[in-house]
Amino acid sequence: MSAIQDIPRIRLSQDGPLPDLVREQICHRFAEVGVMHFEQILTPDHVSALHLAYEAKYAAYHRDMLHDDALHVGDRRNMITVALAGPFNDPLVYANPSVMPVLEALLDYQVRLGSFVSVTSLPGAKDQEPHLDMPLLFEDESMGTQLPSYCLTLVVPLVPMNAQNGTTAYYPASHLTVSHEHPESPPALPEVPIGDALLFDCRVWHGGTENRSDAPRPVLYNTYQRPWFRDQVNFGQQEPLIIPQTEWDHVPEEHRLLLEWCTITE
Ligand SMILES: O=C(O)CCC(=O)C(=O)O
């Protein structure tokens, strides 16, 4: 099998259901590559508003130090839990209609949001080591790579992902082999403007690239899981998913199952 080096791109209309054949083709392609670039899932103005809200609430994490409730995930890089509150408590953000039909089909129509965080690299952050976000199920056995997707992360950049701000290097199709190291083939380095998003399978090798800009580079990481799968490794010191009670009251009935793992705060 020749190495896949490109990340497929799709743009889906938010009006009306996805035809079965189209959904099947997209899922088939995703299963082959393990990463997909979704174009224009939000307007740039909407993302700018999210960015402002993020900066207003989470700037305290923009210091290069260890935080009690944020995970240090590499040089000058933290994973910060973002409360589903204000502009983040919005179905366009946690259940985006351009992405959900694909996510639902990939996870067999039983989707739970497992975590809602930002991975923020600070100016000067170096490349992150390529890694898997969690160990494979049945770690040393090919079985873990033959299973359908069970944990998918939607990366929604709040500033453009590019060579200046930093992007994420992905090794397409690396979810199909068992290895304790990333493939030797060169990774894909996607340029992602605000409004676009990347979806990747948790079995795909990846790593953030350096931040050469003079500003933090936050990307939202929305992780969707089958109901039987729990992330046992990334949330030892922080809640994966929080929502204040007053915000929970505004969650539409149709999304309450998706969000049933939320910790409701005062
Ligand atoms: O910062 C990035 O671009 C990727 C972050 C990441 O892969 C991680 O923290 O697991």
Side-chain angles (χ1 to χ4, degrees), residues 71-74 77-79 119-121 128-129 131-133 155 161 166-170 200 206-209 217 219 221 234:
L71 189 66
H72 185 69
V73 289
R77 196 179 302 262
N78 285 315
M79 183 185 82
V119 178
T120 302
S121 66
Q128 196 185 30
E129 280 298 312
H131 60 278
L132 301 180
D133 284 343
V155 182
M161 292 170 81
T167 182
T168 310
Y170 288 98
F200 73 96
H206 65 280
T209 67
R217 188 235 47 182
V219 295
Y221 251 51
N234 290 303

PDB file of all heavy atoms in Angstrom, residues 71-74 77-79 119-121 128-129 131-133 155 161 166-170 200 206-209 217 219 221 234, ligand 1:
ATOM      1  N   LEU A  71      -3.285  20.436  31.534  1.00  0.00           N
ATOM      2  CA  LEU A  71      -2.220  19.457  31.288  1.00  0.00           C
ATOM      3  C   LEU A  71      -1.142  20.064  30.403  1.00  0.00           C
ATOM      4  O   LEU A  71      -1.437  20.642  29.354  1.00  0.00           O
ATOM      5  CB  LEU A  71      -2.833  18.218  30.609  1.00  0.00           C
ATOM      6  CG  LEU A  71      -1.926  17.007  30.457  1.00  0.00           C
ATOM      7  CD1 LEU A  71      -1.569  16.425  31.834  1.00  0.00           C
ATOM      8  CD2 LEU A  71      -2.616  15.936  29.601  1.00  0.00           C
ATOM      9  N   HIS A  72       0.095  19.914  30.858  1.00  0.00           N
ATOM     10  CA  HIS A  72       1.243  20.359  30.065  1.00  0.00           C
ATOM     11  C   HIS A  72       1.462  19.293  28.987  1.00  0.00           C
ATOM     12  O   HIS A  72       1.720  18.136  29.318  1.00  0.00           O
ATOM     13  CB  HIS A  72       2.446  20.453  31.014  1.00  0.00           C
ATOM     14  CG  HIS A  72       3.661  21.007  30.389  1.00  0.00           C
ATOM     15  ND1 HIS A  72       3.757  22.314  30.001  1.00  0.00           N
ATOM     16  CD2 HIS A  72       4.848  20.428  30.082  1.00  0.00           C
ATOM     17  CE1 HIS A  72       4.949  22.528  29.478  1.00  0.00           C
ATOM     18  NE2 HIS A  72       5.629  21.397  29.506  1.00  0.00           N
ATOM     19  N   VAL A  73       1.327  19.660  27.721  1.00  0.00           N
ATOM     20  CA  VAL A  73       1.387  18.629  26.671  1.00  0.00           C
ATOM     21  C   VAL A  73       2.577  18.844  25.726  1.00  0.00           C
ATOM     22  O   VAL A  73       2.535  18.394  24.580  1.00  0.00           O
ATOM     23  CB  VAL A  73       0.047  18.545  25.876  1.00  0.00           C
ATOM     24  CG1 VAL A  73      -1.053  17.941  26.724  1.00  0.00           C
ATOM     25  CG2 VAL A  73      -0.367  19.897  25.296  1.00  0.00           C
ATOM     26  N   GLY A  74       3.584  19.516  26.212  1.00  0.00           N
ATOM     27  CA  GLY A  74       4.770  19.737  25.386  1.00  0.00           C
ATOM     28  C   GLY A  74       5.323  21.110  25.704  1.00  0.00           C
ATOM     29  O   GLY A  74       4.769  21.850  26.524  1.00  0.00           O
ATOM     30  N   ARG A  77       3.088  24.468  25.844  1.00  0.00           N
ATOM     31  CA  ARG A  77       1.823  24.007  25.246  1.00  0.00           C
ATOM     32  C   ARG A  77       0.963  23.370  26.347  1.00  0.00           C
ATOM     33  O   ARG A  77       1.437  22.485  27.048  1.00  0.00           O
ATOM     34  CB  ARG A  77       2.154  22.960  24.173  1.00  0.00           C
ATOM     35  CG  ARG A  77       1.039  22.634  23.191  1.00  0.00           C
ATOM     36  CD  ARG A  77       1.540  21.594  22.177  1.00  0.00           C
ATOM     37  NE  ARG A  77       2.707  22.016  21.425  1.00  0.00           N
ATOM     38  CZ  ARG A  77       2.681  22.538  20.192  1.00  0.00           C
ATOM     39  NH1 ARG A  77       1.548  22.656  19.549  1.00  0.00           N
ATOM     40  NH2 ARG A  77       3.805  22.900  19.597  1.00  0.00           N
ATOM     41  N   ASN A  78      -0.277  23.835  26.488  1.00  0.00           N
ATOM     42  CA  ASN A  78      -1.167  23.329  27.533  1.00  0.00           C
ATOM     43  C   ASN A  78      -2.497  22.884  26.969  1.00  0.00           C
ATOM     44  O   ASN A  78      -2.970  23.436  25.963  1.00  0.00           O
ATOM     45  CB  ASN A  78      -1.462  24.430  28.568  1.00  0.00           C
ATOM     46  CG  ASN A  78      -0.281  24.665  29.481  1.00  0.00           C
ATOM     47  OD1 ASN A  78       0.324  23.726  29.975  1.00  0.00           O
ATOM     48  ND2 ASN A  78       0.062  25.928  29.675  1.00  0.00           N
ATOM     49  N   MET A  79      -3.096  21.921  27.650  1.00  0.00           N
ATOM     50  CA  MET A  79      -4.473  21.517  27.329  1.00  0.00           C
ATOM     51  C   MET A  79      -5.379  22.063  28.440  1.00  0.00           C
ATOM     52  O   MET A  79      -5.227  21.713  29.608  1.00  0.00           O
ATOM     53  CB  MET A  79      -4.571  19.995  27.268  1.00  0.00           C
ATOM     54  CG  MET A  79      -5.946  19.508  26.863  1.00  0.00           C
ATOM     55  SD  MET A  79      -6.057  17.703  26.930  1.00  0.00           S
ATOM     56  CE  MET A  79      -6.358  17.451  28.685  1.00  0.00           C
ATOM     57  N   VAL A 119      -6.203  23.155  23.041  1.00  0.00           N
ATOM     58  CA  VAL A 119      -4.755  22.952  23.126  1.00  0.00           C
ATOM     59  C   VAL A 119      -4.137  24.253  22.636  1.00  0.00           C
ATOM     60  O   VAL A 119      -4.366  24.676  21.502  1.00  0.00           O
ATOM     61  CB  VAL A 119      -4.264  21.757  22.274  1.00  0.00           C
ATOM     62  CG1 VAL A 119      -2.744  21.648  22.381  1.00  0.00           C
ATOM     63  CG2 VAL A 119      -4.911  20.461  22.740  1.00  0.00           C
ATOM     64  N   THR A 120      -3.403  24.888  23.545  1.00  0.00           N
ATOM     65  CA  THR A 120      -2.862  26.220  23.249  1.00  0.00           C
ATOM     66  C   THR A 120      -1.343  26.179  23.302  1.00  0.00           C
ATOM     67  O   THR A 120      -0.767  25.813  24.338  1.00  0.00           O
ATOM     68  CB  THR A 120      -3.407  27.232  24.279  1.00  0.00           C
ATOM     69  OG1 THR A 120      -4.836  27.221  24.209  1.00  0.00           O
ATOM     70  CG2 THR A 120      -2.905  28.640  23.979  1.00  0.00           C
ATOM     71  N   SER A 121      -0.727  26.518  22.164  1.00  0.00           N
ATOM     72  CA  SER A 121       0.737  26.635  22.164  1.00  0.00           C
ATOM     73  C   SER A 121       1.071  28.112  22.347  1.00  0.00           C
ATOM     74  O   SER A 121       0.398  28.981  21.786  1.00  0.00           O
ATOM     75  CB  SER A 121       1.324  26.093  20.866  1.00  0.00           C
ATOM     76  OG  SER A 121       0.925  26.889  19.772  1.00  0.00           O
ATOM     77  N   GLN A 128       5.968  19.571  18.961  1.00  0.00           N
ATOM     78  CA  GLN A 128       5.582  18.554  19.941  1.00  0.00           C
ATOM     79  C   GLN A 128       6.040  17.194  19.411  1.00  0.00           C
ATOM     80  O   GLN A 128       6.047  16.986  18.195  1.00  0.00           O
ATOM     81  CB  GLN A 128       4.054  18.597  20.050  1.00  0.00           C
ATOM     82  CG  GLN A 128       3.444  17.922  21.229  1.00  0.00           C
ATOM     83  CD  GLN A 128       1.916  17.943  21.146  1.00  0.00           C
ATOM     84  OE1 GLN A 128       1.349  17.941  20.046  1.00  0.00           O
ATOM     85  NE2 GLN A 128       1.264  17.942  22.282  1.00  0.00           N
ATOM     86  N   GLU A 129       6.390  16.303  20.299  1.00  0.00           N
ATOM     87  CA  GLU A 129       6.738  14.944  19.855  1.00  0.00           C
ATOM     88  C   GLU A 129       5.525  14.293  19.188  1.00  0.00           C
ATOM     89  O   GLU A 129       4.422  14.359  19.752  1.00  0.00           O
ATOM     90  CB  GLU A 129       7.092  14.077  21.078  1.00  0.00           C
ATOM     91  CG  GLU A 129       8.480  14.262  21.633  1.00  0.00           C
ATOM     92  CD  GLU A 129       9.532  13.885  20.606  1.00  0.00           C
ATOM     93  OE1 GLU A 129       9.419  12.801  19.985  1.00  0.00           O
ATOM     94  OE2 GLU A 129      10.464  14.688  20.426  1.00  0.00           O
ATOM     95  N   HIS A 131       2.808  11.677  18.548  1.00  0.00           N
ATOM     96  CA  HIS A 131       2.253  10.778  19.576  1.00  0.00           C
ATOM     97  C   HIS A 131       0.848  10.333  19.181  1.00  0.00           C
ATOM     98  O   HIS A 131       0.257  10.855  18.233  1.00  0.00           O
ATOM     99  CB  HIS A 131       2.173  11.530  20.918  1.00  0.00           C
ATOM    100  CG  HIS A 131       1.284  12.747  20.842  1.00  0.00           C
ATOM    101  ND1 HIS A 131       1.713  13.958  20.337  1.00  0.00           N
ATOM    102  CD2 HIS A 131      -0.023  12.928  21.172  1.00  0.00           C
ATOM    103  CE1 HIS A 131       0.729  14.830  20.375  1.00  0.00           C
ATOM    104  NE2 HIS A 131      -0.355  14.232  20.855  1.00  0.00           N
ATOM    105  N   LEU A 132       0.320   9.397  19.962  1.00  0.00           N
ATOM    106  CA  LEU A 132      -1.107   9.074  19.950  1.00  0.00           C
ATOM    107  C   LEU A 132      -1.682   9.697  21.210  1.00  0.00           C
ATOM    108  O   LEU A 132      -1.030   9.701  22.247  1.00  0.00           O
ATOM    109  CB  LEU A 132      -1.333   7.563  19.978  1.00  0.00           C
ATOM    110  CG  LEU A 132      -0.726   6.748  18.837  1.00  0.00           C
ATOM    111  CD1 LEU A 132      -1.048   5.259  19.039  1.00  0.00           C
ATOM    112  CD2 LEU A 132      -1.292   7.213  17.502  1.00  0.00           C
ATOM    113  N   ASP A 133      -2.915  10.184  21.146  1.00  0.00           N
ATOM    114  CA  ASP A 133      -3.474  10.831  22.331  1.00  0.00           C
ATOM    115  C   ASP A 133      -3.765   9.836  23.439  1.00  0.00           C
ATOM    116  O   ASP A 133      -3.919  10.221  24.597  1.00  0.00           O
ATOM    117  CB  ASP A 133      -4.747  11.608  21.966  1.00  0.00           C
ATOM    118  CG  ASP A 133      -4.393  12.916  21.257  1.00  0.00           C
ATOM    119  OD1 ASP A 133      -3.228  13.346  21.337  1.00  0.00           O
ATOM    120  OD2 ASP A 133      -5.287  13.489  20.609  1.00  0.00           O
ATOM    121  N   VAL A 155     -10.856  19.267  15.568  1.00  0.00           N
ATOM    122  CA  VAL A 155      -9.970  20.382  15.904  1.00  0.00           C
ATOM    123  C   VAL A 155     -10.541  21.636  15.240  1.00  0.00           C
ATOM    124  O   VAL A 155     -10.644  21.699  14.017  1.00  0.00           O
ATOM    125  CB  VAL A 155      -8.543  20.122  15.368  1.00  0.00           C
ATOM    126  CG1 VAL A 155      -7.602  21.256  15.755  1.00  0.00           C
ATOM    127  CG2 VAL A 155      -8.011  18.784  15.850  1.00  0.00           C
ATOM    128  N   MET A 161      -4.342  27.861  11.516  1.00  0.00           N
ATOM    129  CA  MET A 161      -3.239  26.909  11.712  1.00  0.00           C
ATOM    130  C   MET A 161      -2.380  26.966  10.451  1.00  0.00           C
ATOM    131  O   MET A 161      -2.864  26.712   9.345  1.00  0.00           O
ATOM    132  CB  MET A 161      -3.780  25.485  11.901  1.00  0.00           C
ATOM    133  CG  MET A 161      -4.544  25.302  13.206  1.00  0.00           C
ATOM    134  SD  MET A 161      -5.411  23.704  13.260  1.00  0.00           S
ATOM    135  CE  MET A 161      -4.093  22.586  13.731  1.00  0.00           C
ATOM    136  N   GLY A 166       1.689  27.729  13.818  1.00  0.00           N
ATOM    137  CA  GLY A 166       1.776  26.314  14.171  1.00  0.00           C
ATOM    138  C   GLY A 166       0.537  25.596  13.685  1.00  0.00           C
ATOM    139  O   GLY A 166      -0.580  26.117  13.736  1.00  0.00           O
ATOM    140  N   THR A 167       0.778  24.389  13.158  1.00  0.00           N
ATOM    141  CA  THR A 167      -0.332  23.532  12.763  1.00  0.00           C
ATOM    142  C   THR A 167      -0.135  22.204  13.496  1.00  0.00           C
ATOM    143  O   THR A 167       0.638  22.131  14.452  1.00  0.00           O
ATOM    144  CB  THR A 167      -0.388  23.345  11.231  1.00  0.00           C
ATOM    145  OG1 THR A 167      -1.522  22.533  10.903  1.00  0.00           O
ATOM    146  CG2 THR A 167       0.881  22.707  10.666  1.00  0.00           C
ATOM    147  N   THR A 168      -0.864  21.175  13.086  1.00  0.00           N
ATOM    148  CA  THR A 168      -0.597  19.840  13.623  1.00  0.00           C
ATOM    149  C   THR A 168      -0.102  18.974  12.478  1.00  0.00           C
ATOM    150  O   THR A 168      -0.723  18.967  11.395  1.00  0.00           O
ATOM    151  CB  THR A 168      -1.872  19.220  14.239  1.00  0.00           C
ATOM    152  OG1 THR A 168      -2.458  20.163  15.139  1.00  0.00           O
ATOM    153  CG2 THR A 168      -1.535  17.946  14.995  1.00  0.00           C
ATOM    154  N   ALA A 169       1.008  18.303  12.685  1.00  0.00           N
ATOM    155  CA  ALA A 169       1.539  17.373  11.684  1.00  0.00           C
ATOM    156  C   ALA A 169       0.823  16.036  11.861  1.00  0.00           C
ATOM    157  O   ALA A 169       0.791  15.490  12.967  1.00  0.00           O
ATOM    158  CB  ALA A 169       3.042  17.186  11.913  1.00  0.00           C
ATOM    159  N   TYR A 170       0.222  15.539  10.799  1.00  0.00           N
ATOM    160  CA  TYR A 170      -0.497  14.252  10.849  1.00  0.00           C
ATOM    161  C   TYR A 170       0.189  13.230   9.957  1.00  0.00           C
ATOM    162  O   TYR A 170       0.651  13.566   8.858  1.00  0.00           O
ATOM    163  CB  TYR A 170      -1.944  14.418  10.357  1.00  0.00           C
ATOM    164  CG  TYR A 170      -2.819  15.156  11.333  1.00  0.00           C
ATOM    165  CD1 TYR A 170      -3.062  16.513  11.174  1.00  0.00           C
ATOM    166  CD2 TYR A 170      -3.387  14.505  12.413  1.00  0.00           C
ATOM    167  CE1 TYR A 170      -3.856  17.205  12.080  1.00  0.00           C
ATOM    168  CE2 TYR A 170      -4.180  15.187  13.324  1.00  0.00           C
ATOM    169  CZ  TYR A 170      -4.408  16.529  13.146  1.00  0.00           C
ATOM    170  OH  TYR A 170      -5.191  17.204  14.051  1.00  0.00           O
ATOM    171  N   PHE A 200      -9.936  13.898  13.325  1.00  0.00           N
ATOM    172  CA  PHE A 200      -8.978  12.791  13.243  1.00  0.00           C
ATOM    173  C   PHE A 200      -9.327  11.680  14.232  1.00  0.00           C
ATOM    174  O   PHE A 200      -9.940  11.909  15.276  1.00  0.00           O
ATOM    175  CB  PHE A 200      -7.524  13.272  13.416  1.00  0.00           C
ATOM    176  CG  PHE A 200      -7.122  13.684  14.800  1.00  0.00           C
ATOM    177  CD1 PHE A 200      -6.481  12.784  15.650  1.00  0.00           C
ATOM    178  CD2 PHE A 200      -7.340  14.972  15.254  1.00  0.00           C
ATOM    179  CE1 PHE A 200      -6.073  13.163  16.925  1.00  0.00           C
ATOM    180  CE2 PHE A 200      -6.950  15.358  16.530  1.00  0.00           C
ATOM    181  CZ  PHE A 200      -6.317  14.457  17.363  1.00  0.00           C
ATOM    182  N   HIS A 206       0.290  12.005  15.415  1.00  0.00           N
ATOM    183  CA  HIS A 206       0.263  13.437  15.107  1.00  0.00           C
ATOM    184  C   HIS A 206       1.084  14.194  16.149  1.00  0.00           C
ATOM    185  O   HIS A 206       1.413  13.638  17.203  1.00  0.00           O
ATOM    186  CB  HIS A 206      -1.188  13.951  15.100  1.00  0.00           C
ATOM    187  CG  HIS A 206      -1.819  13.869  16.446  1.00  0.00           C
ATOM    188  ND1 HIS A 206      -2.350  12.694  16.960  1.00  0.00           N
ATOM    189  CD2 HIS A 206      -1.975  14.792  17.436  1.00  0.00           C
ATOM    190  CE1 HIS A 206      -2.816  12.904  18.175  1.00  0.00           C
ATOM    191  NE2 HIS A 206      -2.595  14.176  18.498  1.00  0.00           N
ATOM    192  N   GLY A 207       1.344  15.454  15.873  1.00  0.00           N
ATOM    193  CA  GLY A 207       2.048  16.293  16.849  1.00  0.00           C
ATOM    194  C   GLY A 207       1.994  17.747  16.418  1.00  0.00           C
ATOM    195  O   GLY A 207       2.097  18.051  15.225  1.00  0.00           O
ATOM    196  N   GLY A 208       1.818  18.641  17.360  1.00  0.00           N
ATOM    197  CA  GLY A 208       1.756  20.073  17.034  1.00  0.00           C
ATOM    198  C   GLY A 208       3.104  20.586  16.544  1.00  0.00           C
ATOM    199  O   GLY A 208       4.153  20.090  16.973  1.00  0.00           O
ATOM    200  N   THR A 209       3.069  21.556  15.676  1.00  0.00           N
ATOM    201  CA  THR A 209       4.328  22.143  15.195  1.00  0.00           C
ATOM    202  C   THR A 209       4.594  23.459  15.936  1.00  0.00           C
ATOM    203  O   THR A 209       3.736  23.978  16.650  1.00  0.00           O
ATOM    204  CB  THR A 209       4.312  22.380  13.666  1.00  0.00           C
ATOM    205  OG1 THR A 209       3.352  23.401  13.359  1.00  0.00           O
ATOM    206  CG2 THR A 209       3.965  21.100  12.920  1.00  0.00           C
ATOM    207  N   ARG A 217      -1.588  30.213  20.276  1.00  0.00           N
ATOM    208  CA  ARG A 217      -2.364  29.566  19.213  1.00  0.00           C
ATOM    209  C   ARG A 217      -3.318  28.540  19.829  1.00  0.00           C
ATOM    210  O   ARG A 217      -2.965  27.382  20.008  1.00  0.00           O
ATOM    211  CB  ARG A 217      -1.420  28.895  18.204  1.00  0.00           C
ATOM    212  CG  ARG A 217      -2.107  28.357  16.960  1.00  0.00           C
ATOM    213  CD  ARG A 217      -1.846  26.875  16.698  1.00  0.00           C
ATOM    214  NE  ARG A 217      -2.009  26.057  17.865  1.00  0.00           N
ATOM    215  CZ  ARG A 217      -1.807  24.740  17.894  1.00  0.00           C
ATOM    216  NH1 ARG A 217      -1.398  24.109  16.821  1.00  0.00           N
ATOM    217  NH2 ARG A 217      -2.000  24.040  19.008  1.00  0.00           N
ATOM    218  N   VAL A 219      -6.455  26.002  19.810  1.00  0.00           N
ATOM    219  CA  VAL A 219      -7.367  25.234  18.941  1.00  0.00           C
ATOM    220  C   VAL A 219      -8.322  24.473  19.853  1.00  0.00           C
ATOM    221  O   VAL A 219      -7.892  23.890  20.855  1.00  0.00           O
ATOM    222  CB  VAL A 219      -6.618  24.250  18.001  1.00  0.00           C
ATOM    223  CG1 VAL A 219      -5.745  24.997  17.000  1.00  0.00           C
ATOM    224  CG2 VAL A 219      -5.762  23.236  18.757  1.00  0.00           C
ATOM    225  N   TYR A 221     -10.444  21.384  20.932  1.00  0.00           N
ATOM    226  CA  TYR A 221     -10.369  19.936  20.722  1.00  0.00           C
ATOM    227  C   TYR A 221     -11.666  19.351  21.262  1.00  0.00           C
ATOM    228  O   TYR A 221     -11.826  19.206  22.479  1.00  0.00           O
ATOM    229  CB  TYR A 221      -9.206  19.385  21.559  1.00  0.00           C
ATOM    230  CG  TYR A 221      -7.991  18.932  20.786  1.00  0.00           C
ATOM    231  CD1 TYR A 221      -7.392  19.756  19.848  1.00  0.00           C
ATOM    232  CD2 TYR A 221      -7.435  17.676  21.019  1.00  0.00           C
ATOM    233  CE1 TYR A 221      -6.268  19.328  19.160  1.00  0.00           C
ATOM    234  CE2 TYR A 221      -6.308  17.250  20.336  1.00  0.00           C
ATOM    235  CZ  TYR A 221      -5.731  18.079  19.409  1.00  0.00           C
ATOM    236  OH  TYR A 221      -4.623  17.660  18.743  1.00  0.00           O
ATOM    237  N   ASN A 234      -5.797  11.172  29.884  1.00  0.00           N
ATOM    238  CA  ASN A 234      -5.529  12.605  29.734  1.00  0.00           C
ATOM    239  C   ASN A 234      -6.162  13.504  30.799  1.00  0.00           C
ATOM    240  O   ASN A 234      -5.887  14.703  30.826  1.00  0.00           O
ATOM    241  CB  ASN A 234      -5.991  13.079  28.359  1.00  0.00           C
ATOM    242  CG  ASN A 234      -5.110  12.529  27.260  1.00  0.00           C
ATOM    243  OD1 ASN A 234      -3.904  12.744  27.272  1.00  0.00           O
ATOM    244  ND2 ASN A 234      -5.699  11.778  26.322  1.00  0.00           N
TER     245      ASN A 234
HETATM  246  O1  LIG B   1      -0.963  21.546  19.344  1.00  0.00           O
HETATM  247  C1  LIG B   1      -1.284  20.833  18.395  1.00  0.00           C
HETATM  248  O2  LIG B   1      -1.341  21.236  17.224  1.00  0.00           O
HETATM  249  C2  LIG B   1      -1.578  19.384  18.617  1.00  0.00           C
HETATM  250  C3  LIG B   1      -1.759  19.068  20.070  1.00  0.00           C
HETATM  251  C4  LIG B   1      -1.827  17.618  20.344  1.00  0.00           C
HETATM  252  O3  LIG B   1      -1.722  16.801  19.470  1.00  0.00           O
HETATM  253  C5  LIG B   1      -1.999  17.142  21.695  1.00  0.00           C
HETATM  254  O4  LIG B   1      -1.814  17.904  22.645  1.00  0.00           O
HETATM  255  O5  LIG B   1      -2.331  15.951  21.849  1.00  0.00           O
END
